[in-house]
Amino acid sequence: MNFDLASQPQFVQTAAGYALQGWDVAKGWLLSPAAWSQFGLLVAAFLAAWLLTRRLGPWLTRVLTPPEDARSLLATLRRFVLVFVALLLPLLAFGFTAIGEQATRAMFGSGAVIAFGKRVFLFLAARILVREIITDGFLKLLGRFILIPVMALYALGLLDVATARLNEMTVALGNIEFTLMAVIRGLIAGSILFWLGRWSNDQTGGYIQRQQEMPPATRQLATKAAELTIYGIAFILLMNIVGIPLTSLAVIGGAVGVGIGFGLQQIASNYISGVILLLEGQATVGDYVELDNGLAGTIVQTTARAMILETFDGRWIVVPNEDFITTRVINYSDQGSSNRYEVPFRVSYDTDINQIPKIIEAAVATHPDVLSDPFPPDCELRAFGDSGVEFAVEFWVNGLDDGRNRYTSDVGFLIWNALKDNGIQIPYPQRVVHMKQAEA
């Protein structure tokens, strides 16, 4: 087959050259007895793997499937291995083909066809891995657009050619030049490393948060320290893989230091303030706090830069960590601490006020959330007002009087009912007007 391709573009000539080489290889295989023997071995290996998979697959599935409620380390390991049963057919075919390749090379001195079959079985294994086993979206994306194309090139015997071409092509970044292969390798390695970093960070953070004997602030600090360590190691490994010397990071570190000194002061201040808050434990997740500027809410999340407060009306407020250090903060500490509230009321001047404290204190003490420790309900005389005698009852509760808790409202109802039951009148506002008649 002779074609005059001199007038065609270079890539057409190159593609035609590869096509002619493939045709020559295929023609050689079709006309070679050794090749037909290898084709026969490939078919036999596949059939043997298929028959063995039909026997082993259900048995392995039964053995590896743990009880549904099992949560031990062994059960987790069994579930992990179970998902790879889908690879049994291509891997067994690959193993049988490898045995056949040794026999073929010993008999005919050639094993190109059966070696091609081995690579095809590996390609099929990679395809099953991406389509049926990997569930993470990011890893599935890497498998679909990187692993499968690479395995396809390997199966066709073009991986070395493609690698050599990528090593010849360079990408310039200022005064630094990288080969295209180095860039691709860095992107792939970086993606995998930082996915592993995210996964290990989630696992480490979950393990630390389950250690209930540690104070919440210590758990938060340990989680952030583990996160920085994991991503720092991933970054250093990536620099080594790409080939960037770590000594060059000193220059980058100096530039970052200058940036922090001039443009990133606020970010650095918030980050350091966050570390101080975690170390001192003055405000942690679950605490109800009120800042000097009037912002108030429950801390639902802490980050390196800020704390997130949730108000009782469902709004989230992002408060920089520095505000917790440089301003006054009232921490009501909703996690089991006691808070005191009071409800004012007044009675008529016709009332025997000596009976009021006993009646009101007994009524308020019946509320299930009112505490007797540190102090029981305390009814105090506050003033002799214009319209009546003014009292207030103080009481202690665990929690905050807002949201789902309505302590002052409940106590107000108790006061009303107690006064009504004892015939005590709550006066209306009154004014006494004296009219003086003018003399004739």
Side-chain angles (χ1 to χ4, degrees):
M1 295 173 54
N2 295 318
F3 299 96
D4 185 10
L5 301 175
S7 61
Q8 299 298 322
Q10 181 62 41
F11 76 91
V12 174
Q13 298 180 34
T14 303
Y18 285 132
L20 289 174
Q21 291 178 20
W23 169 251
D24 291 337
V25 171
K27 186 170 61 175
W29 287 358
L30 291 173
L31 300 177
S32 170
W36 281 103
S37 301
Q38 294 175 53
F39 277 123
L41 285 173
L42 281 177
V43 173
F46 179 78
L47 290 175
W50 180 72
L51 291 173
L52 191 57
T53 300
R54 290 192 62 184
R55 295 292 185 91
L56 282 178
W59 178 78
L60 285 174
T61 302
R62 287 196 306 271
V63 170
L64 294 173
T65 303
E68 292 184 3
D69 56 346
R71 294 293 181 269
S72 64
L73 180 61
L74 180 59
T76 303
L77 183 61
R78 289 168 66 185
R79 290 190 183 95
F80 176 76
V81 177
L82 178 63
V83 298
F84 292 97
V85 173
L87 293 175
L88 192 60
L89 175 59
L91 293 182
L92 284 175
F94 175 82
F96 292 151
T97 305
I99 297 173
E101 182 183 13
Q102 299 298 323
T104 306
R105 292 190 183 277
M107 293 171 58
F108 300 102
S110 172
V113 176
I114 204 165
F116 172 74
K118 280 175 54 181
R119 297 195 296 269
V120 170
F121 289 139
L122 282 182
F123 170 75
L124 293 176
R127 204 161 166 272
I128 293 173
L129 178 69
V130 173
R131 295 183 62 181
E132 300 182 18
I133 297 177
I134 295 176
T135 57
D136 184 84
F138 179 73
L139 288 183
K140 190 177 284 290
L141 187 69
L142 286 180
R144 186 177 301 164
F145 292 103
I146 294 177
L147 178 62
I148 289 181
V150 168
M151 294 305 297
L153 289 173
Y154 176 69
L156 295 173
L158 299 177
L159 185 59
D160 292 338
V161 177
T163 303
R165 290 302 179 93
L166 291 174
N167 280 321
E168 293 172 1
M169 302 172 66
T170 59
V171 177
L173 185 63
N175 295 327
I176 305 175
E177 286 190 354
F178 299 97
T179 64
L180 191 57
M181 186 63 193
V183 174
I184 295 174
R185 186 170 61 242
L187 289 175
I188 297 173
S191 301
I192 295 174
L193 280 174
F194 280 94
W195 180 87
L196 286 172
R198 187 195 66 182
W199 178 82
S200 58
N201 179 61
D202 292 342
Q203 299 300 315
T204 305
Y207 175 77
I208 293 174
Q209 293 301 323
R210 289 193 296 270
Q211 308 307 308
Q212 297 299 323
E213 66 275 6
M214 297 173 62
T218 305
R219 292 202 300 267
Q220 290 286 331
L221 184 62
T223 301
K224 292 187 181 298
E227 180 180 0
L228 289 174
T229 302
I230 289 169
Y231 282 111
I233 293 173
F235 179 74
I236 292 174
L237 289 175
L238 180 59
M239 293 298 101
N240 285 327
I241 292 172
V242 174
I244 298 177
L246 295 179
T247 54
S248 62
L249 294 179
V251 178
I252 300 176
V256 171
V258 173
I260 291 175
F262 287 97
L264 304 178
Q265 293 183 24
Q266 204 69 27
I267 296 176
S269 175
N270 285 321
Y271 182 80
I272 295 171
S273 298
V275 174
I276 293 173
L277 287 170
L278 289 174
L279 287 173
E280 294 183 350
Q282 295 178 349
T284 60
V285 173
D287 288 351
Y288 185 86
V289 296
E290 180 180 349
L291 277 69
D292 205 20
N293 57 8
L295 295 176
T298 303
I299 300 175
V300 295
Q301 185 178 347
T302 62
T303 66
R305 187 187 65 85
M307 287 196 178
I308 300 176
L309 309 183
E310 183 178 11
T311 63
F312 283 117
D313 54 4
R315 293 182 175 87
W316 279 29
I317 305 173
V318 180
V319 182
N321 289 327
E322 186 181 14
D323 290 359
F324 284 83
I325 300 295
T326 59
T327 62
R328 184 178 60 182
V329 179
I330 301 174
N331 190 343
Y332 292 93
S333 189
D334 192 23
Q335 300 299 307
S337 65
S338 301
N339 294 302
R340 191 190 71 174
Y341 297 97
E342 68 174 42
V343 177
F345 64 96
R346 67 178 61 178
V347 297
S348 170
Y349 276 102
D350 296 332
T351 306
D352 182 4
I353 61 174
N354 295 295
Q355 304 298 319
I356 296 299
K358 180 176 63 175
I359 294 172
I360 298 302
E361 289 171 3
V364 174
T366 61
H367 193 286
D369 293 326
V370 172
L371 305 175
S372 58
D373 184 31
F375 298 101
D378 180 27
C379 184
E380 299 177 352
L381 174 65
R382 292 294 173 85
F384 297 99
D386 295 336
S387 303
V389 184
E390 297 179 0
F391 286 87
V393 60
E394 298 175 347
F395 59 94
W396 289 77
V397 291
N398 275 332
L400 300 170
D401 185 34
D402 207 339
R404 65 181 182 274
N405 300 322
R406 300 178 179 85
Y407 300 127
T408 55
S409 175
D410 293 345
V411 169
F413 277 106
L414 292 173
I415 293 172
W416 174 274
N417 293 329
L419 294 177
K420 288 295 183 181
D421 291 344
N422 288 274
I424 299 173
Q425 201 174 36
I426 299 177
Y428 295 104
Q430 301 176 26
R431 291 291 184 270
V432 178
V433 180
H434 296 279
M435 300 183 64
K436 187 174 181 182
Q437 185 176 4
E439 297 180 0

